Structures are given as structure tokens and as C-alpha cells.
Amino acid sequence: MKNDHDHDETKTGFGREITRRKFLKTMGSGAAIAAASDVLKDRGTAEAEVIKPEVIVRVNLFINGLRRSLVVEPRWSLLYVLREKLGLTGTKVGCERGECGACTVLIDEVPRYACLTLAVEAQEAQIVTLEGLMHGEKLGAVQQAFVEHDAFQCGYCTPGQIMSAEGLLRRNPSPNPDEIRRAMSGNLCRCGAYAHILRAVGRAADIKDTKGGVS
């Protein structure tokens, strides 16, 4: 007795019997192998384009008015270079994913998260860190205002808060309370000293005004 699927059988030119089911199965396997080969080929190309971590490049960074020339790995963040290679530890390590603002610095007058900025991206830019607001041992206007209004508790977020406030006042010397809140919204304070921080920024604007806009 013939099986139900015998009608699918046919003679090939090589004298072997093959069912339609076997033929489709064979062709499916071949297509899968071809597809896998393409994926592996594409993956190999992508991996070849990744910069190896040991590759180093020379960058020129202008930090607090000084030109600093150094070699860095392309993957190094500006935060890492400032702290670990240049010893500018006023810029703090926080979340390292652009959420807390503790690492805020000014890059061409704009507040930026140093943890999300590669050192090679900051090439030739004007960078200002917390240390750059000092006048010798004398506090800058924003720093002075933060002390006067007790705008910190543990103090860990304070450097980033100060840099965001400095960036605001450089582009808007007389901000209103809503503008201050918006400008400071990217900086988190676990201690909850927000009311003091807002008053400190307003006070810093007054101090700068009496000093002719000097930080």
C-alpha cells in the first residue's frame, strides 16, 4: 500500500527519489545558512569599525583659560580627564549617565554634563570648571552667594549647581524666578536645599551686577 504522501514523490535527473517536503526543507536550510553568513559578515564589518580602546589621540583642551595638551583614549569622558588626568576634582562624579548634574561644567559658556561629553568632543572648546570661578583664594560671585544663603547641606551636588547657575547668569544677568528654576532643573539635590539654591542664584545675580558682571 502506498503512503498518502507518495504523490509528492518525483524522479530527479540523478536517479534519486525526493519528496517535495524534503526539497523545501533542504532549500530552507540553505537559505538559513546564507542568511547567517550575511549576518556574520555584517557583524565582522561592524566590529572592524570599532575603535580599539588602546588607541590614543592628542587633544588640546582650553580649561580655565589655560591650554592643556594631552593624549587620551577616544572613549574617555571629559569628567574622567578633568579629575583623573588633570586633578581638577571640583567636578564631581555622580550618576555618570546625565541625570544628576554633579559633573556640570561650562563648555563655550553652555552648561554641559562632563560625564556625557567625550574629551575629544571638547577639543579647542573653552572649558570652565568650578576652579575657574575662583580668584586666587577668593570665592566667585555664585560661590559667595551659595555660602551666604546656606544653599547646600552635604555639598556634593554644589559644584554642579554653581556651574549651572554661572552658565545662566552669563547669558541672562537678571533672570526671574521661573527662569532660575528652569536653568537649575537639570541638577538634583538629595538634601532638598532647592529653596536656598534658588535664593542663592538670585543673590549671585545681584553680586555680579554690583561688580559689573564679573564672576
Side-chain angles (χ1 to χ4, degrees):
M1 180 179 294
K2 292 186 178 181
N3 294 330
D4 290 339
H5 64 266
D6 282 351
H7 65 276
D8 286 337
E9 293 179 348
T10 183
K11 291 285 186 179
T12 68
F14 300 99
R16 295 178 57 191
E17 291 185 347
I18 184 169
T19 65
R20 182 172 60 183
R21 184 179 294 107
K22 289 181 179 179
F23 174 76
L24 293 175
K25 184 177 181 181
T26 301
M27 292 302 293
S29 298
I33 293 172
S37 298
D38 289 340
V39 170
L40 291 174
K41 180 180 178 182
D42 292 341
R43 183 179 298 172
T45 302
E47 289 176 349
E49 294 173 353
V50 174
I51 299 175
K52 294 182 179 179
E54 64 269 17
V55 174
I56 58 174
V57 296
R58 181 170 293 279
V59 296
N60 294 313
L61 303 177
F62 292 88
I63 304 171
N64 300 330
L66 299 176
R67 181 178 183 271
R68 309 297 293 267
S69 181
L70 64 162
V71 291
V72 304
E73 291 185 14
R75 63 178 177 172
W76 286 354
S77 68
L78 179 60
L79 173 62
Y80 175 79
V81 170
L82 289 174
R83 290 182 57 85
E84 305 300 331
K85 299 301 178 182
L86 298 176
L88 297 172
T89 55
T91 305
K92 299 303 181 185
V93 179
C95 64
E96 294 193 90
R97 57 185 183 185
E99 293 183 357
C100 72
C103 66
T104 302
V105 298
L106 299 185
I107 300 179
D108 289 337
E109 302 290 283
V110 178
R112 293 270 298 273
Y113 294 147
C115 71
L116 295 185
T117 305
L118 295 175
V120 293
E121 289 182 271
Q123 171 94 281
E124 305 296 339
Q126 295 291 333
I127 302 165
V128 180
T129 69
L130 184 74
E131 293 88 347
L133 302 184
M134 299 283 291
H135 304 285
E137 294 298 316
K138 188 177 180 181
L139 296 177
V142 180
Q143 293 162 311
Q144 180 183 334
F146 267 64
V147 173
E148 289 181 10
H149 284 272
D150 195 22
F152 52 86
Q153 289 185 40
C154 77
Y156 197 84
C157 72
T158 305
Q161 302 275 4
I162 288 173
M163 296 312 299
S164 289
E166 180 71 24
L168 165 65
L169 297 177
R170 288 191 181 191
R171 68 178 182 272
N172 181 3
S174 301
N176 60 44
D178 286 338
E179 290 171 331
I180 295 174
R181 290 188 185 91
R182 282 196 296 271
M184 304 303 293
S185 63
N187 296 77
L188 303 182
C189 174
R190 288 188 62 186
C191 302
Y194 295 111
H196 295 260
I197 290 170
L198 295 179
R199 286 196 291 269
V201 178
R203 170 59 178 153
D206 294 337
I207 294 175
K208 279 177 171 284
D209 183 55
T210 60
K211 292 182 177 181
V214 178
S215 297

